[in-house]
Every structure is written in structure tokens, then in C-alpha cells.
Amino acid sequence: MGKGIDNLRYREMEVEEGVYLPDYDVEYPEDDPGKHIVGVKYDGSDVKLDGSFPYLDDSRHYKLHHFLNRLARVFLVQPLNRIRYGLKIVGKENLKPFKAALADGAMTVCNHVYRWDLVCITQAIGMKNIWFPIFGEHMKGKDMWFMRYAGGIPIPEERSGMRPFNEAFDELHRRKQWMHVFPEASSWRFYAPIRPFRTGAFTMAYKYGVPVVPCVITYRPRTGLYKLTEKPDVPLLTLHIGVPIIPDLTVPRKKEVERILKEAHSQMVKMAGIKKNPWPAME
């Protein structure tokens, strides 16, 4: 355990020998695993997320910015991920036996632990487009351009927006696109335990009959030249790719969604080197 962390969940957690837990200066909640502890930096934008919002935007304007965003991720953010965080990706071999199943799209899930974790996923799966739901408030913040044009589809703030929001993902599935969800729902910077999952990602995977690809980000101590590229308490990162989980559509939805969720959570706990995780798989 990181010697600077005094938190109920960390005290309850048991990890394998050699697992590194960063002593990052954050006061993590102990009883509300979905609490938003990273605030949105508002820029004065006022976007109305109702039935009129273009959740799936096929306009030339969107396509241009989506392309520019992809260039920024490939030529700026991905190199910075290597330089600042020493990012390593392991487990790609787990995808090869499922090449045929993944050709029609997939749902990746990952713990939500820092600003660029979505970029880790896009690096891991190659040059594929990936689409993901985002907290609606981000459309009013300074990260809007990055999140929206990276493939973010905002969660509606009004009931009238739910139908076009769902239809956007229906169409993306028809186009055989990959999707991503952070099932912990909120970002806790460099948090080690795996928090409970919400069912949304796994319900979508069942609905579309696509594999769930569990991924998890773990930490390494900052060493060598990496001591010069970030603050000492910021860890180096490793992204682990697990074994895809194929939904069994002959099983009733509720039962199968729970199975997929628990298997994904279990894989992520194991890949993180956690022997006793202090949170349950589901809220």
C-alpha cells in the first residue's frame, strides 16, 4: 500500500507482491464510488442537450474536426502519453483469437483514472474510430473539443434527447463501429481499487450482441529519465487488455448482463494484481 494513503477502501484492499500503489494527493471518497471529484472547467458555453441536439453528427464540420482531433491524438497526445506516463500496452494477443467476432464491433471498458485514458484505449486497438457516451456537462467545458470530436456522444439532459441518443448508438452499431464506456462513471485520478460498475455498457453489449473487451490501467514507479517528465507522485502507466467476453443472447437479458459485468470486473481486478478488491462488482 502507498504509505501516504489513508483511506478505508485502501486499508481493506489486498494486492499481490510487487504491485505499485501511487501516493497521489487526492482525497478519495470512501462510500460513494460514482462521485464526480474532477470538476468541469466551464468556458461559458450553453449547449442544450435535448431532442434537437445532433448526437450522431454526419456534417462536414463534424467530420473535419473529428479528423483533426484524430491527428492531434496520434501525433501529439499519444507521444505525450509515452513521454509523460511511460505508457505500455500489454495483452494485445488476447484479441487475436476473436478477430472474426470483433470485426462487427465491440465494447471496450476500462477503469477511469486520468485525463487521457480514452487515448490509451484508441492506442491499444489501433487506428479504429471509437465512440463513447460522455457526461453532458463536458459539452460546456474547456475539454469539449477534445471529448466531442474524439467520438464523445453527450448523455442527454432532457428526456426528449434519449431517443436520438439511443438511435445514435444503434446507427454506430449498424456501421460496425467500436464503442467504449467507463463503467465506473466518474474519473478518480490514479485510483488503484476497481470500483463498482453500472450496467449501461453491458446492457448495450447485450443489445448489440458485441464482445466486451475488459481493460485496466495499472501503475509503475517513476524511474530514470521519466523523473524529469512529470512530478514524482505521478506514476507511470500500463494498460492491460483482457480476454473478450461474448454475450450469450439465448440467456435472459438481466441475467446475462450481470454475468458479463461480473466477469469483466473480475478480469480487471485480476489484471490489476488485486487479491481482495474493497468494492463489489455492482452498485
Side-chain angles (χ1 to χ4, degrees):
M1 180 184 299
K3 61 184 178 181
I5 299 174
D6 184 18
N7 179 277
L8 171 64
R9 300 296 175 172
Y10 272 69
R11 293 194 297 272
E12 292 176 343
M13 180 172 59
E14 296 178 9
V15 298
E16 296 175 3
E17 185 176 353
V19 169
Y20 176 71
L21 304 179
D23 288 331
Y24 194 72
D25 188 19
V26 171
E27 214 173 299
Y28 300 117
E30 296 183 339
D31 298 314
D32 183 359
K35 185 176 181 179
H36 288 271
I37 64 175
V38 179
V40 176
K41 296 180 180 179
Y42 294 98
D43 64 1
S45 301
D46 186 18
V47 180
K48 199 169 185 180
L49 299 175
D50 58 10
S52 65
F53 184 84
Y55 295 93
L56 182 59
D57 192 342
D58 284 327
S59 68
R60 289 183 179 178
H61 176 271
Y62 183 90
K63 289 179 179 178
L64 172 61
H65 283 268
H66 185 61
F67 174 71
L68 293 174
N69 187 290
R70 186 167 174 174
L71 290 180
R73 283 181 280 127
V74 171
F75 294 108
L76 178 62
V77 182
Q78 289 186 9
L80 284 175
N81 244 343
R82 302 286 189 187
I83 295 168
R84 293 180 62 185
Y85 302 106
L87 180 65
K88 292 182 180 179
I89 297 171
V90 298
K92 285 187 178 183
E93 66 278 4
N94 289 327
L95 302 181
K96 291 180 181 179
F98 297 87
K99 185 176 180 180
L102 297 172
D104 290 333
M107 171 70 71
T108 56
V109 294
C110 187
N111 52 337
H112 202 359
V113 293
Y114 86 121
R115 188 179 185 185
W116 292 344
D117 39 20
L118 189 278
V119 180
C120 294
I121 300 297
T122 60
Q123 284 182 251
I125 66 172
M127 293 297 292
K128 295 178 184 294
N129 287 324
I130 196 163
W131 306 87
F132 53 100
I134 59 173
F135 182 43
E137 290 296 298
H138 286 302
M139 292 298 296
K140 306 170 186 177
K142 294 183 178 180
D143 284 340
M144 185 283 289
W145 186 86
F146 175 78
M147 300 187 74
R148 173 61 171 162
Y149 294 109
I153 299 178
I155 299 171
E157 297 176 327
E158 297 188 19
R159 189 184 183 113
S160 62
M162 287 308 302
R163 181 173 179 178
F165 173 82
N166 290 328
E167 288 175 345
F169 282 100
D170 291 345
E171 176 60 19
L172 290 169
H173 170 60
R174 190 188 70 78
R175 298 177 187 179
K176 301 182 179 181
Q177 296 291 294
W178 283 50
M179 304 173 194
H180 176 79
V181 173
F182 293 108
E184 295 172 327
S186 59
S187 179
W188 289 10
R189 193 165 171 82
F190 307 133
Y191 189 69
I194 307 301
R195 289 175 279 153
F197 290 168
R198 297 184 180 180
T199 59
F202 310 95
T203 301
M204 289 174 70
Y206 181 90
K207 175 182 179 181
Y208 300 132
V210 297
V212 171
V213 182
C215 304
V216 70
I217 294 172
T218 61
Y219 313 105
R220 312 189 313 274
R222 190 162 288 273
T223 58
L225 291 177
Y226 287 117
K227 292 181 178 180
L228 304 176
T229 62
E230 257 293 355
K231 297 177 181 178
D233 60 343
V234 174
L236 301 179
L237 306 177
T238 302
L239 175 70
H240 305 256
I241 304 172
V243 178
I245 306 164
I246 309 296
D248 183 349
L249 303 185
T250 66
V251 176
R253 178 185 60 81
K254 185 176 180 181
K255 183 178 180 181
E256 183 64 359
V257 165
E258 183 173 333
R259 180 193 73 84
I260 300 168
L261 182 155
K262 288 182 176 179
E263 184 173 336
H265 194 273
S266 177
Q267 278 200 47
M268 291 166 64
V269 166
K270 185 175 181 179
M271 287 188 291
I274 299 173
K275 295 193 295 184
K276 179 182 177 184
N277 193 65
W279 296 99
M282 297 178 66
E283 286 188 293

